[in-house]
Amino acid sequence: MAIGRFRAPGHGGLQVRVSGSSNSTFKLFVSVLSVAAVFVFFTLYFLHSPSSHHPSDLHQGFSFGSNGGGGYGLSRRSVLALKSDPLKPRLDQIRKQADDHRSLVLSYASYARKLKLENSKLVRVFADISRNYTNIISKPFYRGLFDMDATSINESMLRKFEKEVKERIKITLQMISEAKESFDNQLKIQKLKDNIFAVNEELSKVKKQGAFSNLIAAKSIPKSLHCVAMRLMEERISHPDKYTDEGKPKPPEFEDPNLYHYAIFSDNVVAASVVVNSAVNNSREPWKHVFHVVTDKMNFGAMQVMFKIKDYNGAHIEVKAVEDYKFLNSSYVPVLRQLESANLQKFYFENKMENATKDTTNMKFRNPKYLSILNHLRFYLPEMYPKLHRILFLDDDVVVQKDLTGLWEIDMDGKVNGAVETCFGSFHRYKQYMNFSHPLIKAKFNPSACAWAYGMNFFDLDAWRREKCTEEYHYWQNLNENRTLWKLGTLPPGLITYYSTTKPLDKSWHVLGLGYNPFIDKAEIANAAVVHFNGNLKPWLDIGMLQYRPLWTKHVDYENEHIQACNFRL
């Protein structure tokens, strides 16, 4: 039998002999002893280890934290995870959303401070929202949600907590959306562009409506003005022999080329009388002045009475109806033939709001005054007054402020038309009145040529006849039957007819704009020989400008019993 030896640790040379039969028994004893030693070691370790970490260590700020502690910490978290409530992930998600939005508002507040908006309401609002997130988390009512020793989470408490957080997030997003404009310059610019576009659209709409209303007002006849015409006509009917010129010889002054002749074409009785009154009142020798007043058949009787019941300081006044000029018919006058067309009448008379406002540029040309031949008589002056050499044409919306005989002393240099030019800068050039995309217009005229004013025009009738201006006018008027060369009116064909035969006059002879421009220099008006109420704001209308109206009303004959009876301009 073999003999084994066992040396006990720490016992020097002590030796034990064991017989071969007891070897297996010894090995079993050693194994049991080892297991017992390991069990006693781990038991003592757990009994003397530190207490578990406090739950507050697991929650830092708005996010869940973790404790160090090596392998033991990991073991404890594994045990807790096995015991955690299924609502725990939902709670973590809600807290994370609150934490994210709190960080977001703090970022906006910080950026607002960088933009020097410390005193603005936005910074205070963002700070308050951030504090509200913290206040929600720290409410005593919700402490049970964050107690890590709790075995379960109260679901009703969680729902209430979730509701409060979502309401706060909703407010946060709304405030951020409203505040973006303060931080995003591109958004500011885009919003300003949108606002400007919307305002421009509304302004354009209002302008169209205003222009249409202004046009209606300009075309209207005031009740008092209509009353005067009716009362004058009543007087004419009541005393026909007193006012008629039939059977009487024509006064020689009407054809005397040595006198100063004026042409006035109007259907406004009071306006025509103001032109004559103002010219007579400012002339040094009124008896040398002859006024040729032409009206339509409807107002002919009223005009006769108006200019016969008063002595105009010896001035000579001829009143005629346009129908008295037999040569003015549609076979000779192109515009009369064109005005008879259905297309042109539709253009004029379909003057409804929805149609007229489609084209505000051409709206002013829809005024029915362009249907009247009175507006086109100015192109037939040599034929209407064949024995005269020179004549001064005056619109019925002008007021004469000085003696005009100086015009007859001007050397016309062979030109036909003496007029005041109206261009300044790029305004009132030929290109604004005619269609230069048309080859005929483009080939014949300079688009930058200076335009001039109708309303006070001194015509050399001899030069007119020599230059055949009426034939020139007919040529171009026939070409423009479809309104492709220019829109309606008398200025464009006048610019064409007298293109190279107009002599510029000094601007003090004729000041324009009193019917639309409220900013004309007072000194310029005071120095003007003639002031012109061109535009829609005529002085006899309620829409006329008050600052200019006295220039016109002071020449109204308020001593006339018919004007008194109608309370004109009162």
Side-chain angles (χ1 to χ4, degrees):
M1 179 178 66
I3 303 294
R5 296 184 177 180
F6 174 75
R7 186 182 298 271
H11 289 85
L14 179 64
Q15 298 180 357
V16 179
R17 291 180 181 269
V18 182
S19 65
S21 60
S22 61
N23 186 34
S24 60
T25 304
F26 175 75
K27 290 181 179 181
L28 177 65
F29 171 76
V30 171
S31 299
V32 170
L33 183 63
S34 300
V35 170
V38 170
F39 176 78
V40 170
F41 173 77
F42 278 102
T43 301
L44 292 175
Y45 181 84
F46 277 103
L47 288 175
H48 292 88
S49 65
S51 61
S52 62
H53 289 258
H54 194 274
S56 61
D57 295 334
L58 299 177
H59 300 276
Q60 300 294 333
F62 279 78
S63 60
F64 289 106
S66 62
N67 188 25
Y72 170 67
L74 293 173
S75 298
R76 182 167 176 79
R77 281 199 302 274
S78 299
V79 173
L80 292 176
L82 291 173
K83 295 182 179 181
S84 65
D85 193 281
L87 297 176
K88 177 67 169 52
R90 182 177 168 187
L91 175 63
D92 290 344
Q93 183 180 11
I94 295 170
R95 291 194 63 173
K96 186 176 186 305
Q97 290 176 348
D99 185 44
D100 291 343
H101 285 83
R102 178 175 178 271
S103 300
L104 184 61
V105 295
L106 288 176
S107 298
Y108 270 91
S110 175
Y111 188 62
R113 292 187 185 94
K114 289 181 180 179
L115 296 178
K116 299 182 179 180
L117 298 175
E118 291 89 345
N119 296 326
S120 71
K121 184 179 179 181
L122 286 177
V123 178
R124 295 192 297 271
V125 168
F126 286 138
D128 290 342
I129 293 175
S130 174
R131 284 192 293 270
N132 286 340
Y133 280 115
T134 304
N135 293 340
I136 292 173
I137 299 296
S138 62
K139 280 185 178 180
F141 181 76
Y142 298 128
R143 285 179 182 174
L145 292 175
F146 312 115
D147 187 355
M148 295 305 297
D149 290 335
T151 58
S152 63
I153 294 176
N154 188 316
E155 187 172 359
S156 63
M157 185 185 300
L158 177 62
R159 286 177 179 175
K160 189 170 183 181
F161 175 69
E162 182 179 19
K163 182 179 179 181
E164 282 200 51
V165 170
K166 285 185 175 180
E167 287 177 353
R168 183 54 50 189
I169 289 175
K170 182 179 179 181
I171 294 173
T172 300
L173 295 178
Q174 182 179 354
M175 289 302 303
I176 288 174
S177 177
E178 293 175 355
K180 276 185 177 181
E181 184 181 345
S182 299
F183 303 106
D184 190 340
N185 290 333
Q186 191 63 36
L187 187 63
K188 287 182 184 179
I189 294 171
Q190 186 59 47
K191 187 171 182 179
L192 285 174
K193 286 183 178 179
D194 292 342
N195 289 339
I196 291 172
F197 178 79
V199 170
N200 283 336
E201 286 289 302
E202 187 63 25
L203 180 60
S204 177
K205 182 179 178 181
V206 171
K207 279 184 175 180
K208 290 179 181 180
Q209 294 174 343
F212 183 75
S213 300
N214 202 16
L215 180 61
I216 295 298
K219 293 189 295 185
S220 65
I221 300 175
K223 181 179 179 180
S224 57
L225 187 62
H226 180 70
C227 172
V228 172
M230 291 300 99
R231 288 185 65 88
L232 291 169
M233 194 63 193
E234 181 183 7
E235 174 69 15
R236 173 67 173 78
I237 295 172
S238 301
H239 305 89
D241 297 334
K242 184 178 179 180
Y243 301 104
T244 183
D245 291 327
E246 293 182 8
K248 298 180 182 179
K250 180 185 292 188
E253 291 82 4
F254 290 173
E255 296 179 340
D256 186 351
N258 297 314
L259 300 180
Y260 305 109
H261 291 265
Y262 302 79
I264 303 169
F265 308 141
S266 175
D267 57 0
N268 187 326
V269 179
V270 178
S273 70
V274 167
V275 177
V276 175
N277 281 336
S278 62
V280 169
N281 293 338
N282 289 284
S283 63
R284 291 186 292 269
E285 300 174 309
W287 56 90
K288 292 185 178 181
H289 295 258
V290 182
F291 297 89
H292 302 272
V293 179
V294 181
T295 188
D296 54 28
K297 203 69 174 179
M298 182 182 297
N299 293 282
F300 179 62
M303 286 285 189
Q304 282 184 315
V305 175
M306 175 63 80
F307 290 108
K308 284 187 178 292
I309 60 177
K310 177 184 175 181
D311 176 36
Y312 288 85
N313 296 331
H316 309 281
I317 303 172
E318 178 189 34
V319 178
K320 296 189 72 172
V322 67
E323 290 80 4
D324 294 334
Y325 298 95
K326 302 304 180 181
F327 70 91
L328 295 174
N329 52 63
S330 58
S331 63
Y332 177 67
V333 180
V335 72
L336 283 178
R337 184 179 64 256
Q338 293 167 11
L339 291 175
E340 292 174 357
S341 69
N343 184 33
L344 200 57
Q345 290 180 11
K346 181 180 179 181
F347 177 81
Y348 279 121
F349 292 113
E350 277 199 351
N351 214 2
K352 299 177 183 178
M353 178 68 179
E354 60 271 19
N355 293 331
T357 56
K358 289 179 182 177
D359 188 3
T360 54
T361 303
N362 300 324
M363 189 186 300
K364 63 181 180 179
F365 298 116
R366 293 178 180 269
N367 195 320
K369 74 177 183 178
Y370 297 114
L371 284 172
S372 174
I373 185 59
L374 290 174
N375 201 45
H376 298 268
L377 287 182
R378 62 194 70 188
F379 293 105
Y380 300 96
L381 289 171
E383 296 166 276
M384 295 173 68
Y385 309 105
K387 295 184 179 181
L388 300 182
H389 303 300
R390 292 186 172 189
I391 194 168
L392 179 63
F393 169 76
L394 295 176
D395 266 341
D396 64 356
D397 55 354
V398 306
V399 172
V400 179
Q401 298 189 131
K402 295 182 179 180
D403 186 271
L404 300 179
T405 55
L407 288 168
W408 277 263
E409 300 172 0
I410 294 176
D411 184 357
M412 292 290 288
D413 298 323
K415 303 295 185 181
V416 176
N417 173 36
V420 170
E421 293 183 333
T422 57
C423 59
F424 57 95
S426 61
F427 296 99
H428 295 287
R429 303 284 177 172
Y430 268 51
K431 61 184 177 183
Q432 294 177 294
Y433 299 96
M434 289 173 280
N435 179 20
F436 274 87
S437 62
H438 195 288
L440 287 177
I441 296 293
K442 186 176 181 180
K444 179 71 175 181
F445 306 102
N446 179 4
S448 298
C450 187
W452 42 265
Y454 254 141
M456 191 215 75
N457 302 83
F458 188 72
F459 290 109
D460 185 329
L461 300 182
D462 292 333
W464 185 316
R465 298 180 184 104
R466 184 180 64 251
E467 297 292 337
K468 297 183 179 180
C469 292
T470 300
E471 289 83 348
E472 183 79 2
Y473 163 69
H474 282 176
Y475 170 78
W476 289 100
Q477 190 69 51
N478 283 322
L479 290 175
N480 193 48
E481 185 169 0
N482 294 324
R483 303 185 301 280
T484 56
L485 304 184
W486 69 85
K487 299 302 181 181
L488 297 174
T490 54
L491 181 57
L495 296 174
I496 289 176
T497 301
Y498 312 114
Y499 175 57
S500 58
T501 59
T502 296
K503 179 180 177 64
L505 301 179
D506 188 273
K507 293 184 181 297
S508 63
W509 282 110
H510 186 192
V511 170
L512 298 98
L514 279 71
Y516 67 88
N517 184 5
F519 306 111
I520 304 174
D521 193 311
K522 292 182 179 179
E524 188 177 356
I525 293 175
N527 293 329
V530 172
V531 291
H532 194 173
F533 289 85
N534 59 310
N536 286 335
L537 309 181
K538 304 300 184 185
W540 55 83
L541 298 175
D542 291 334
I543 60 175
M545 285 185 277
L546 295 177
Q547 69 265 40
Y548 302 141
R549 187 174 290 165
L551 299 173
W552 187 84
T553 55
K554 71 179 181 180
H555 296 291
V556 175
D557 186 9
Y558 288 109
E559 295 181 359
N560 187 308
E561 60 177 314
H562 304 292
I563 291 179
Q564 291 178 358
C566 293
N567 298 319
F568 185 79
R569 295 305 316 161
L570 296 180

